[in-house]
Amino acid sequence: MKFIDSKFMRDICNVTKQSYDNGWDERNGGNISIRITEDELKDFDDVKEVKRTFDLGFDAKEVAGQYFLVTGTGRYFRNVISRPTEDVGLVKITEDGKHADLHWGYEDGAKPTSEFPTHLMSHIARLKTDKNQRVVMHCHPTNFIAMSFTQTLDEKRLSRILWKMQAESLVVFPEGIGIIPYMTPGTNEIGEATAAKMSEFKVVMWPHHGIFAVGSDPDETFGLIETVEKAALIFTTIQAQGGNILQDITDEELKELAQAFGVTANSKFLK
């Protein structure tokens, strides 16, 4: 069986296309990684050989031996569906944790996204609280980014705004939203700051830049971002209509939502 025909490749092609079509990934903005187990790869004959090796620039020993399907640096999400063997690669973290071996893809010489260390740090952080953690996705949702310019960068305030925009918000991200300060992307420092937030949140805002989100599969992770951005769009629309909110979802109603759907809302963010 060829890896190009795998569910993982269908998923990454579908998610990157939809994300680009939504306007979240201009030019080469955005990246995604999916953790894949060795057992899930056993039937693919074309992933056995190591083709190249990359330096990670940090110690990822905690996920040594793990495979990750990851988009390439400088590559456009809109092209992944038409040129997947060039724009996506399957890598395995070496036992020393400092390198990644390429087993499939990047056929024209590409490398993993410059955000790959940040992805790995987030995978490591989330696996400590969620053994089903599989996906990290970064993109640039327009309305969510806009809120980082006009709203106080306060996790409680931002989470409450987004929760109150639609009933789905609390159900999909009951932990709320994590926020880091503005930082230069592609550095270990921003990766460490993001991973620290991932111990508590599934969504982290990069102010004036974008979003980092995690999940158990591509659909769940994409749906999480989609829900956050829809809430931000509703808020933006309200502001465009004058910003005068006459009624909203109350804290009591938020608590009722959490109970009805069996989720635990972040008690620090509820009154």
Side-chain angles (χ1 to χ4, degrees), residues 208-255:
H208 323 319
H209 182 150
I211 192 171
F212 248 75
V214 298
S216 60
D217 61 54
D219 276 348
E220 180 190 58
T221 310
F222 182 86
L224 172 59
I225 297 171
E226 195 173 32
T227 305
V228 171
E229 173 63 2
K230 180 61 176 290
L233 172 59
I234 295 169
F235 180 75
T236 300
T237 304
I238 291 170
Q239 299 308 299
Q241 293 179 7
N244 185 24
I245 297 177
L246 300 180
Q247 53 274 319
D248 66 3
I249 301 173
T250 67
D251 278 54
E252 281 305 312
E253 289 167 337
L254 289 174
K255 292 174 184 176

Side-chain angles (χ1 to χ4, degrees), residues 7-271:
K7 178 183 184 300
F8 303 107
M9 284 307 302
R10 291 196 300 271
D11 284 346
I12 206 166
C13 286
N14 289 338
V15 166
T16 51
K17 182 181 187 303
Q18 186 61 60
S19 190
Y20 175 79
D21 287 347
N22 284 2
W24 301 346
D25 298 279
E26 69 292 335
R27 201 172 181 270
N28 63 322
N31 32 76
I32 183 172
S33 63
I34 305 173
R35 183 173 62 86
I36 304 175
T37 68
E38 189 166 12
D39 187 60
E40 290 169 324
L41 294 171
K42 68 180 187 302
D43 294 329
F44 298 103
D45 297 329
D46 53 346
V47 302
K48 312 298 184 186
E49 178 187 347
V50 175
K51 303 179 185 303
R52 281 184 281 142
T53 299
F54 309 106
D55 182 11
L56 290 177
F58 89 108
D59 188 351
K61 194 173 295 182
E62 290 183 79
V63 286
Q66 297 276 355
Y67 289 86
F68 294 89
L69 188 64
V70 56
T71 50
T73 186
R75 300 308 168 101
Y76 294 21
F77 266 21
R78 66 180 172 85
N79 291 336
V80 171
I81 197 167
S82 61
R83 39 178 289 170
T85 60
E86 289 84 11
D87 293 349
V88 181
L90 176 70
V91 302
K92 182 180 182 181
I93 308 304
T94 57
E95 291 305 314
D96 66 4
K98 297 179 181 178
H99 304 86
D101 289 335
L102 176 66
H103 284 258
W104 181 92
Y106 299 153
E107 290 184 352
D108 61 353
K111 298 179 180 180
T113 170
S114 61
E115 306 286 5
F116 191 40
T118 298
H119 280 243
L120 291 174
M121 292 177 196
S122 291
H123 279 289
I124 290 168
R126 285 303 299 177
L127 279 168
K128 293 175 181 176
T129 60
D130 179 7
K131 61 182 176 58
N132 296 316
Q133 162 62 26
R134 300 288 291 267
V135 179
V136 174
M137 184 171 178
H138 168 58
C139 58
H140 306 156
T142 306
N143 294 282
F144 186 63
I145 295 171
M147 290 183 73
S148 74
F149 288 91
T150 63
Q151 303 303 305
T152 304
L153 297 179
D154 176 86
E155 291 172 346
K156 178 178 179 179
R157 172 175 165 74
L158 184 63
S159 297
R160 287 176 57 80
I161 289 173
L162 296 175
W163 279 350
K164 287 172 174 283
M165 290 300 100
Q166 57 183 350
E168 288 79 4
S169 289
L170 183 79
V171 177
V172 175
F173 52 100
E175 307 89 351
I177 301 294
I179 305 173
I180 64 170
Y182 177 82
M183 302 174 73
T184 302
T187 63
N188 284 355
E189 288 75 19
I190 197 170
E192 291 163 0
T194 304
K197 292 293 181 182
M198 287 296 180
S199 63
E200 184 176 357
F201 303 101
K202 293 183 295 186
V203 173
V204 177
M205 171 185 273
W206 284 12
H208 323 319
H209 182 150
I211 192 171
F212 248 75
V214 298
S216 60
D217 61 54
D219 276 348
E220 180 190 58
T221 310
F222 182 86
L224 172 59
I225 297 171
E226 195 173 32
T227 305
V228 171
E229 173 63 2
K230 180 61 176 290
L233 172 59
I234 295 169
F235 180 75
T236 300
T237 304
I238 291 170
Q239 299 308 299
Q241 293 179 7
N244 185 24
I245 297 177
L246 300 180
Q247 53 274 319
D248 66 3
I249 301 173
T250 67
D251 278 54
E252 281 305 312
E253 289 167 337
L254 289 174
K255 292 174 184 176
E256 290 171 6
L257 269 171
Q259 184 175 10
F261 285 88
V263 299
T264 302
N266 191 331
S267 59
K268 294 183 293 185
F269 294 168
L270 286 174
K271 292 182 180 177

